[in-house]
Amino acid sequence: MAQQDSILQGKYPAKAHCAKVASYLQSKANASANAAIYLEGQKTILIEDNDEPRPFRQRRPFFYLSGCSLPDCHLVYEFSTATLTLFIPDLNPDSVIWSGLPLLPAEALKKYDIDACLTNSALASHIESLTKNDPTETQTYVLRPPPDTLHFQPSPDDKHLRPAIDECRVTKDPYELALLRHANAISTAAHTAVLRAIPKARNEQDLEATFIATCISAGAKHQAYHGIFGSGENAATLHYQHNDQPLSDRKNILVDAGAEWECYCSDVTRTLPLTDGKFDAESRAIYTLVLRMQNAVFALLKADVEWESLHLRAHEVAVEGLLDLGILKGGTVEELVKSR
């Protein structure tokens, strides 16, 4: 835990991620040494018929290459100099009156792993400067068509950057692992709080509120996904969304919820007893079987193991256990797994 906290005291390694993606593009897409990457972050979007913005979530590729979770930003990474420039919104005096001072360029330079920070008013001229020497050698890679106010020469390549970023994000560096562990630590505390809240809870929404409040109090203001708090038969709906049913006369509740920390997500599912903190015999049999499935998969985890093989092993253990319980009938483990 101490090592994790120490790692997170440093900056998110945006430049290392940019270099990783650039190397991939050079090896897989024959990108030149003078190429560049341009990305636009998520924009501020107002709620319809309202003057408030929608809850903001940064585009994942943008965060991966910048570490910046501010809205309305842009970035440019130049291969030849390994220079990462972040562009942030210009200071708006009217906005300051209502919302206070935003992050300023000098502050952004200290906060993020970048080489320069300019405001958005300088973006167009910066893009034009990329091609001033030899336009034919300066291919710019983008994820989506850029704003009409930006002029690239030649036209930007929107085919190769997505697979490059996706592939590079598969393997995590120590900083990313620390972020994931931190998100999971918060989720662990939230799941534990839910377990402790069950005796006084009357409705699924009581437990959802406990989970979210615990995450927010730990600094995680975003959930990784819409949590599932399904009691009784509601737990059988894979993506149950209502989370508003009474808990009376129900044996168990399934909690599938996880905190998000700096765009890195946890995903934890647990089934908890609602009666006196204990499963009845039927529930315990299924719980024990699922635990066996989990342990069987954990035992196989290592580098280069494909997800499908783990999924298949979980099915095998499940079918074997359900046959033993008399829930499945009409074939051997091999026959039933094959017919799944």
Side-chain angles (χ1 to χ4, degrees):
M1 193 71 173
Q3 181 182 12
Q4 170 185 305
D5 293 341
S6 176
I7 291 173
L8 294 180
Q9 291 300 312
K11 294 182 179 181
Y12 180 86
K15 289 190 64 178
H17 293 170
C18 288
K20 187 177 182 182
V21 172
S23 177
Y24 183 97
L25 288 169
Q26 289 176 314
S27 63
K28 302 294 184 179
N30 296 319
S32 75
N34 292 322
I37 294 170
Y38 163 76
L39 282 184
E40 180 181 20
Q42 185 59 268
K43 301 176 182 178
T44 298
I45 302 174
L46 294 180
I47 300 172
E48 188 174 352
D49 300 323
N50 195 303
D51 63 356
E52 283 288 302
R54 294 180 188 174
F56 177 76
R57 306 299 286 277
Q58 186 59 277
R59 288 169 170 163
R60 280 359 188 210
F62 188 89
F63 188 88
Y64 182 69
L65 297 185
S66 70
C68 176
S69 55
L70 298 176
D72 306 313
C73 295
H74 308 256
L75 70 82
V76 174
Y77 180 74
E78 300 168 55
F79 290 21
S80 61
T81 56
T83 299
L84 175 59
T85 304
L86 177 68
F87 296 83
I88 62 176
D90 292 78
L91 184 66
N92 183 337
D94 292 336
S95 178
V96 171
I97 294 175
W98 292 98
S99 305
L101 281 170
L103 188 73
L104 300 175
E107 296 169 328
L109 197 57
K110 292 180 180 179
K111 182 175 181 178
Y112 302 121
D113 182 29
I114 56 178
D115 296 295
C117 182
L118 305 174
T119 59
N120 289 339
S121 58
L123 178 61
S125 60
H126 187 87
I127 293 297
E128 291 179 7
S129 72
L130 296 178
T131 60
K132 65 182 180 181
N133 293 325
D134 188 352
T136 63
E137 289 296 320
T138 311
Q139 180 66 67
T140 304
Y141 293 89
V142 301
L143 288 181
R144 52 183 56 83
D148 293 337
T149 54
L150 302 181
H151 303 289
F152 294 86
Q153 182 66 31
S155 297
D157 180 313
D158 61 0
K159 305 297 184 184
H160 295 97
L161 185 56
R162 173 70 68 180
I165 293 177
D166 287 349
E167 185 67 25
C168 290
R169 289 182 66 198
V170 170
T171 53
K172 307 299 184 188
D173 54 46
Y175 197 100
E176 292 178 288
L177 293 176
L179 289 172
L180 289 168
R181 291 189 177 106
H182 191 70
N184 276 283
I186 294 173
S187 294
T188 297
H191 277 271
T192 302
V194 167
L195 180 60
R196 291 172 175 163
I198 284 176
K200 294 183 178 181
R202 296 292 178 265
N203 191 290
E204 294 166 349
Q205 63 197 13
D206 296 337
L207 299 178
E208 181 180 25
T210 296
F211 189 95
I212 294 174
T214 304
C215 292
I216 292 176
S217 68
K221 294 187 177 182
H222 297 298
Q223 295 293 290
Y225 50 93
H226 188 288
I228 298 170
F229 294 78
S231 60
E233 293 181 357
N234 296 333
T237 300
L238 292 179
H239 286 170
Y240 175 68
Q241 298 283 297
H242 298 297
N243 300 345
D244 62 0
Q245 297 300 298
L247 302 177
S248 57
D249 300 322
R250 294 181 177 178
K251 296 179 180 180
N252 307 307
I253 184 167
L254 180 142
V255 178
D256 180 351
E260 177 182 310
W261 187 261
E262 295 292 332
C263 290
Y264 284 76
C265 300
S266 60
D267 185 340
V268 182
T269 303
R270 292 292 181 268
T271 300
L272 309 171
L274 291 173
T275 306
D276 300 325
K278 296 181 179 179
F279 291 119
D280 64 11
E282 184 181 61
S283 298
R284 179 163 290 281
I286 298 299
Y287 183 94
T288 302
L289 173 55
V290 174
L291 181 60
R292 282 171 49 199
M293 295 166 61
Q294 175 178 284
N295 290 338
V297 169
F298 280 0
L300 297 176
L301 288 175
K302 61 180 180 180
D304 297 325
V305 172
E306 293 187 356
W307 178 88
E308 180 60 29
S309 64
L310 302 175
H311 190 57
L312 176 60
R313 181 57 184 149
H315 272 249
E316 293 170 345
V317 176
V319 170
E320 180 181 336
L322 293 173
L323 282 171
D324 291 341
L325 293 171
I327 296 175
L328 282 182
K329 301 178 184 294
T332 65
V333 172
E334 292 77 12
E335 290 169 341
L336 292 173
V337 168
K338 187 176 181 179
S339 66
R340 79 191 195 283

